[in-house]
Amino acid sequence: ALPIYQISHIMKAKVISVAEDLFMRLGVRSITMDEVARTLSMSKKTLYQCFENKDQLVSATMIAHIEREEDAFKRIHEASGNAIEEIHGLAEIMRKNLGQLNPSTLFDIQRFHSHAWETFLDFKDKCIQGHTADNIVRGVNEGYYRPEIDANIMARLRVEQVSLMFKPSVFSSADFDFKQVQLQVLDHFIHGLLTDKGRELYEQFHQESSLLSQK
């Protein structure tokens, strides 16, 4: 039999996994602790033994999601032969995540779960901005990005783009398809970096990825 602390750890991981799926698909505000317990076929008492309240659960799911994203960023960086391959890999992660994300999720977290929101902001500022700046420097050195580009300015711009696109006051769900907004802005950002040499290679990666997705 597993020790009690291991059972608790396994149970918490299962709760986080199920809660994250619900939050991503349906938004955070609409999901109650009752709904999480019901989805898990778990008593509310057991759920509250894992997490004292919804705010604590939202924070735990945010941390788990960010840890996976950071691991993915690191793997892509280490496996990429050049800046174009790396940024294409990062773009593919974003496309995958967007297919699973309800537009209201981050907005709900910003309004109602300040600790989780601070965790996201820290990730955005340190991880996303840092990886973007490093990729731009790499791409400039390799001749795939325009040499006049300032990596720090463009990395900060990218971070602010991500925040802007989650604001309903700018891109309301009634007027815009959330996934298309994200992909259009990302595509615009990447093409603004590229030299002719970089554009040719990026399109090659994009075409190969499209062919694979059709199989």
Side-chain angles (χ1 to χ4, degrees), residues 184-201:
Q184 284 276 312
V185 174
L186 174 63
D187 190 62
H188 182 271
F189 176 79
I190 292 174
H191 277 83
L193 303 175
L194 301 172
T195 59
D196 290 341
K197 172 185 171 183
R199 188 170 294 106
E200 182 178 344
L201 185 58

Side-chain angles (χ1 to χ4, degrees), residues 8-24 36 40 42 47 50-51 54 56-68:
S8 176
H9 179 76
I10 292 169
M11 190 178 295
K12 279 189 173 184
K14 185 177 181 181
V15 171
I16 289 170
S17 177
V18 168
E20 183 181 354
D21 176 66
L22 291 170
F23 294 154
M24 291 278 281
V36 174
L40 285 158
M42 174 186 287
L47 177 59
C50 295
F51 297 97
K54 181 179 173 181
Q56 193 179 87
L57 177 56
V58 172
S59 291
T61 59
M62 176 65 79
I63 290 168
H65 181 79
I66 284 173
E67 286 176 349
R68 286 201 313 277

Side-chain angles (χ1 to χ4, degrees), residues 1 5 8 27 58 73 133-134 142 168 181 191 206:
Y5 77 89
S8 176
V58 172
F73 286 4
D134 290 346
E142 292 170 344
V181 170
H191 277 83
H206 191 61

Side-chain angles (χ1 to χ4, degrees), residues 31-90:
I31 300 299
T32 64
M33 293 292 272
D34 282 357
E35 177 111 19
V36 174
R38 191 161 52 248
T39 304
L40 285 158
S41 299
M42 174 186 287
S43 71
K44 284 175 62 178
K45 180 180 179 181
T46 303
L47 177 59
Y48 280 105
Q49 286 175 342
C50 295
F51 297 97
E52 293 179 7
N53 51 52
K54 181 179 173 181
D55 192 60
Q56 193 179 87
L57 177 56
V58 172
S59 291
T61 59
M62 176 65 79
I63 290 168
H65 181 79
I66 284 173
E67 286 176 349
R68 286 201 313 277
E69 292 287 283
E70 289 177 336
D71 286 343
F73 286 4
K74 184 178 179 181
R75 287 197 307 272
I76 288 171
H77 175 74
E78 292 173 349
S80 299
N82 54 62
I84 298 296
E85 184 177 3
E86 181 179 10
I87 203 166
H88 181 266
L90 295 174

Side-chain angles (χ1 to χ4, degrees), residues 29 55 104-114 117 168:
R29 190 179 183 187
D55 192 60
S104 71
T105 297
L106 277 185
F107 185 66
D108 289 348
I109 293 172
Q110 182 179 11
R111 289 189 65 189
F112 304 110
H113 302 279
S114 59
W117 182 247

